[in-house]
Amino acid sequence: MPLSAEQISKLKQNDTEIEFKEENPRRPGSKPHERYDTYKVANTVGEATQYGAKWADLTSDFQKGFLTIKDTQMEDPTSLLTTPKGEAQLGTPDRDAAARSKRVNAGISGSSMVSAPATEVTVEKVEMSPATVALLRHMMRDEIKLGISEIQASNAQAMTEMKKELQQERYARKELEKRVTALEEKLQNSQHTNTETEDIDKNVAVVGLTGGFDEMGADEAEQLVRDALDETDGFQEVWSFSEKPSVVFARFSDIAKTMKFLKTQKRNRKFKEAGLWASENRTPEERKRTKLVIKIKKIVIELQGVESKHIVANYKTFKVHVRSNRRLYLVANVPENESPQWVDEGFEVDDSVTEAVNEFADELFL
């Protein structure tokens, strides 16, 4: 039967003194049986909960007489579980109707409607029928299932939102890493060559390859120059700015060492055997013109079939000459920020060469 308000209050107070039956009445092997063995030594409600007793354990133990509250004024719940023989069980429709009839007739005498003297009325506690208990349990199970479903749905939605936030965070982190990498590269390039200003680092030499590095990757081109300059006085490091560089850059310990190398590069056996050439570090504009001179030389070799030894590229005057019939003819001049000027002084350049070079120049000076 349901607990009274007073019983519920007592069982919710941690300092309520209680006593459990020593012998475990629960079904052996069940979870309640295990918990009972643990908390049956408790002397108060607070101790029982500390030892693992649940609210359902306490109320069930109290209703079944396994738990006793040490209060002489507290009514024993088991006393209400018995019914005098021959009487209808409390909580059934017949018994409830009879009880209501007695309470109404207590204040009425026959048809005179005269109030009877006040008498003490004893209110009996009503025990629910098994059908009512079963219905309530069914309703509670449905409510619990509904609550669990709502919790699961809420957790699923929360997990979905969390995954979405994590994906957004990963994307933002990748974008930030890209920006940081780009800024670091830009800073490094600025430290190496100061390409953004006119303050050119004269400790750096520009190194090119006859025919160009275009067919090489950056690592291969840098290694070629590094091996050729390994024993050169003052040489420190080499680097490039693209995956297939037109030129690479070599740093020396000071300007004097750089200029000495530039003047004596033709006597550097390893450097010469590798087909390399070097010039002083230039402004960004001068480097573009140098790239265009290199491109002209390469395309004339590839498309017009002129041997590289018959082409003379001057990276100070930015002019390209071709040797033919024991004479040297000027074929192209590269002015500032402009496409090359083609010169016909005895050597005719093919249209395929001029078209390819002009297309490259348009992209270079864009």
Side-chain angles (χ1 to χ4, degrees):
M1 61 170 290
L3 300 178
S4 66
E6 182 184 4
Q7 292 167 343
I8 293 174
S9 176
K10 285 289 186 181
L11 290 175
K12 286 188 175 181
Q13 296 177 13
N14 290 334
D15 58 353
T16 299
E17 294 184 358
I18 58 176
E19 183 178 2
F20 292 94
K21 284 188 175 181
E22 179 64 26
E23 184 177 354
N24 192 332
R26 297 294 186 179
R27 180 170 58 83
S30 65
K31 293 292 183 181
H33 185 277
E34 295 178 4
R35 291 198 298 273
Y36 191 94
D37 278 339
T38 303
Y39 65 70
K40 70 180 182 179
V41 297
N43 295 317
T44 63
V45 171
E47 289 181 0
T49 55
Q50 289 179 1
Y51 295 156
K54 300 181 179 179
W55 171 249
D57 295 329
L58 296 177
T59 56
S60 176
D61 290 347
F62 182 71
Q63 288 176 320
K64 295 179 180 180
F66 307 154
L67 178 155
T68 303
I69 296 177
K70 294 181 179 181
D71 187 344
T72 56
Q73 297 180 355
M74 179 68 68
E75 185 176 7
D76 184 359
T78 60
S79 65
L80 300 175
L81 297 177
T82 60
T83 305
K85 187 174 182 180
E87 293 187 9
Q89 185 179 3
L90 291 175
T92 62
D94 292 341
R95 182 61 174 170
D96 290 344
R100 287 195 299 271
S101 177
K102 288 181 180 181
R103 287 195 294 272
V104 171
N105 293 332
I108 303 175
S109 176
S111 59
S112 61
M113 302 296 289
V114 178
S115 299
T119 59
E120 183 178 354
V121 179
T122 301
V123 180
E124 295 181 354
K125 295 185 180 296
V126 180
E127 182 180 1
M128 289 186 293
S129 66
T132 304
V133 173
L135 178 61
L136 288 174
R137 287 177 176 173
H138 180 73
M139 293 172 62
M140 290 177 66
R141 281 197 296 268
D142 289 344
E143 290 181 0
I144 291 173
K145 289 180 180 179
L146 179 61
I148 293 175
S149 298
E150 291 177 351
I151 292 173
Q152 289 175 341
S154 176
N155 289 342
Q157 183 177 0
M159 287 297 295
T160 301
E161 293 296 328
M162 186 181 298
K163 289 179 180 178
K164 187 183 297 183
E165 290 178 0
L166 287 174
Q167 290 176 350
Q168 293 175 350
E169 184 178 348
R170 290 193 191 100
Y171 176 78
R173 189 184 298 116
K174 288 181 180 179
E175 291 298 314
L176 179 60
E177 289 175 354
K178 289 180 181 178
R179 293 181 61 185
V180 170
T181 301
L183 288 174
E184 289 177 346
E185 289 179 354
K186 185 175 181 180
L187 177 61
Q188 184 180 11
N189 295 346
S190 176
Q191 291 174 341
H192 278 313
T193 60
N194 296 316
T195 58
E196 301 299 325
T197 67
E198 292 301 322
D199 185 17
I200 303 302
D201 188 351
K202 293 300 181 180
N203 290 356
V204 175
V206 179
V207 181
L209 176 67
T210 301
F213 290 114
D214 293 355
E215 300 302 323
M216 296 185 182
D219 292 341
E220 185 180 356
E222 292 172 9
Q223 189 61 48
L224 177 66
V225 175
R226 190 178 293 109
D227 292 342
L229 297 179
D230 186 44
E231 299 178 0
T232 303
D233 184 25
F235 171 70
Q236 293 181 331
E237 60 177 331
V238 60
W239 71 92
S240 59
F241 294 127
S242 62
E243 294 182 358
K244 291 186 176 297
S246 298
V247 294
V248 297
F249 300 88
R251 178 183 293 280
F252 291 81
S253 58
D254 54 57
I255 297 177
K257 298 288 177 60
T258 306
M259 299 308 296
K260 178 180 178 181
F261 161 70
L262 292 175
K263 292 179 180 178
T264 61
Q265 60 178 291
K266 292 183 178 180
R267 297 197 296 270
N268 187 319
R269 180 181 58 80
K270 294 172 62 176
F271 195 77
K272 185 176 180 180
E273 289 178 353
L276 298 170
W277 54 264
S279 65
E280 64 180 296
N281 197 13
R282 307 286 185 89
T283 64
E285 177 59 33
E286 290 173 332
R287 283 199 294 276
K288 288 182 180 180
R289 296 170 72 186
T290 301
K291 287 182 180 179
L292 189 52
V293 170
I294 295 172
K295 194 69 174 181
I296 293 172
K297 180 177 180 180
K298 181 180 178 181
I299 292 178
V300 170
I301 293 172
E302 291 179 350
L303 299 184
Q304 200 157 342
V306 178
E307 295 183 22
S308 60
K309 65 180 181 180
H310 295 312
I311 299 179
V312 179
N314 191 316
Y315 301 104
K316 290 186 177 181
T317 61
F318 305 107
K319 295 181 179 181
V320 179
H321 294 77
V322 174
R323 184 178 291 105
S324 178
N325 298 325
R326 297 183 179 181
R327 292 188 57 183
L328 201 61
Y329 298 98
L330 176 65
V331 295
N333 176 38
V334 180
E336 294 184 8
N337 294 320
E338 294 183 15
S339 296
Q341 296 175 350
W342 299 99
V343 180
D344 184 6
E345 293 185 349
F347 182 86
E348 184 177 356
V349 179
D350 291 348
D351 292 339
S352 60
V353 173
T354 58
E355 290 177 2
V357 173
N358 289 338
E359 182 178 352
F360 176 81
D362 291 340
E363 295 178 358
L364 186 64
F365 293 112
L366 185 63

